[in-house]
Amino acid sequence: MNKDENKKENGPGGANDKRFAADENEKTLTNRQGHPIRNNQNVRTVGNRGPSTLENYEFLEKISHFDRERIPERVVHARGAGAHGYFETYGKVGEEPVEKYTRAKVFSGAGKKTPVLVRFSTVTHGNSSPETARDPRGFAVKFYTDDGNWDLVGNNLKIFFIRDAIKFPDLIHAFKPDPVTNVQDGERIFDFISNTPEAIHMITFLFSPWGIPANYRQMQGSGVNTYRWVNKEGEAVIVKYHWEPMKQGIKNLTQADANKIQAENFSHATQDLYEAIEEGNYPEWELSVQIMEDKEHPELDFDPLDDTKLWPMDEFPFLKVGKMVLNKNPENYFNEIEQAAFGTGVLVDGLDFSDDKMLQGRTYSYSDTQRYRVGANYLQLPINAAKKHIATNQEGGQMSYNVDRPDSANPHINYEPSTIDGLSETKARGNYFQPYVEGYLTRESIDKKNDFLQAGETYRNHQDWERDDLINNLVNTLKPCDPRIQQKMVDMFTECDEDYGRRVAEGLKMDMNHGGSMDTEHSEEITPTKGKLPKHGGSPMGSTGAADAVQEAEEKGRDGKPY
């Protein structure tokens, strides 16, 4: 019997293993020890009424695994859906050969298809939160390339709230539910935002209909961060990635529309994606890049490494590089979507990091999170494993079930270098990109902040109905806030655009003719559109009746009799 046949006969076991006990077949229920289950209806007890005994091994294994069915959910992006598909490269970037800019094989050879897994998500709330929440949407793509995995981890919106990763925990804490009340509170959100001017551009998107995509199929995606492309000669450019929906188009919801949908279905986006793929209505996105010379660009009024800024399309056009099609639903959500693990540091040859401070912080955080959440060996799970040869000297760790060394390697050698048949490194495919770096080590913000210019442009570029919804959502969320927070926010909106600030101030009944100050006596009368202010703190983003809903639940509740 050869080695391969021996592996088939004496493999690792599992649902498809053909070795059976005398009284079982392939559909016989067993426990994880391989013991056939002969009674799955009753625990072992003293008499048929109990008490039960401690040595109920089958019950203990079953219930203790059930207790652990959920791995720790993601701190952010907990609620998600996903699907499988492929990326097809055009072999060009715009009208030029892609090899001019990058040696990454995933983009070479027109028509080449690379398998992908995509996970869409909301950001702030937990795994069971509604998909109508006003929240950025995650848009994470895992490419199973010939050179190993490449993760392009981004959002539906093309910018972000902050430009420095050290502020990320504070941002998320502000948007997460209050640690005392466990309710999202607009006052906490705007307390943070009013002290973070760089976030005003993102707020101008988030509180508009762009903050609630109609579903996952009909939204854009973006890498958000700035990356580098490196060619065979070791020359580099910086790039931004953008996913644009193709045949399905782009659709967003107003707050009023989202409220109606949430009342009927809080998983509408997951259902929409699943049903579209099952029906053969495969969603497609086209991938484009913006390319910029890798230097400081003093001629620009913004820093191209600043995640709160858009690169103007008239100066840096979208250059098409390929398309993605999602054509297969997961067979098991937990295994393929919940355990899917992405990281911004997962790049292949020809793709590289820029000096983007958010990217560099995320690159540590994302993979560190996966090792905590899923385990040190999360990359051995089939959904996360590269679809190619893997050979490492990594050992042990929680849930290690495989040794990443081939049979041809010396099993005693788990280090490198070695002369006695250990693993060895290979040659570089091209020249390394070697940027010259010089400067003092500092803890300073960038020079060109320009926090308000693009936010004003975005406000003016919104359609009338989008601006109306933006103002309405901002006003309704700001009404319960401390007047000092309201004042700071109106001041920042006015810096972006005079009309922007004026309309929010009018919604808050602020007197703009007297330096924008609020009549504090009058402020007691300010109420959300639907009813009254919450008694304690603020209310969720865009909510017009959070306080009323609490009272209505009591008033409309029907009396029941105890039993």
Side-chain angles (χ1 to χ4, degrees), residues 442-455:
T442 66
R443 298 189 67 169
E444 299 175 353
S445 59
I446 62 174
D447 293 328
K448 288 189 290 188
K449 300 182 180 66
N450 209 351
D451 294 322
F452 305 116
L453 178 65
Q454 287 198 8

Side-chain angles (χ1 to χ4, degrees), residues 212-337:
I212 311 180
N215 51 56
Y216 295 132
R217 291 182 304 112
Q218 295 178 298
M219 70 181 194
Q220 296 169 299
S222 173
V224 179
N225 297 116
T226 303
Y227 289 88
R228 279 189 178 111
W229 272 6
V230 182
N231 65 16
K232 189 174 181 180
E233 286 71 40
E235 300 164 338
V237 291
I238 53 176
V239 300
K240 290 268 196 181
Y241 296 103
H242 303 283
W243 294 106
E244 297 297 322
M246 297 181 74
K247 61 184 180 181
Q248 67 268 27
I250 302 171
K251 289 191 176 182
N252 299 314
L253 298 173
T254 65
Q255 184 70 55
D257 291 336
N259 291 344
K260 293 176 183 177
I261 293 167
Q262 182 173 323
E264 301 291 337
N265 187 341
F266 61 84
S267 300
H268 80 283
T270 293
Q271 185 173 339
D272 172 86
L273 179 67
Y274 182 88
E275 291 180 349
I277 294 174
E278 285 297 295
E279 294 165 6
N281 182 22
Y282 303 141
E284 301 177 357
W285 287 263
E286 194 159 51
L287 180 63
S288 295
V289 295
Q290 290 176 286
I291 296 179
M292 193 182 297
E293 190 178 353
D294 190 7
K295 62 178 187 178
E296 291 191 13
H297 292 279
E299 77 282 3
L300 298 177
D301 60 14
F302 66 97
D303 190 320
L305 303 183
D306 182 353
D307 293 337
T308 70
K309 302 295 189 294
L310 295 168
W311 291 6
M313 289 180 61
D314 56 345
E315 296 181 61
F316 308 99
F318 280 27
L319 304 173
K320 299 174 181 179
V321 296
K323 74 172 185 178
M324 178 173 69
V325 179
L326 298 184
N327 59 6
K328 182 180 181 296
N329 280 312
E331 296 177 6
N332 183 279
Y333 175 86
F334 182 83
N335 287 347
E336 300 169 50
I337 306 301

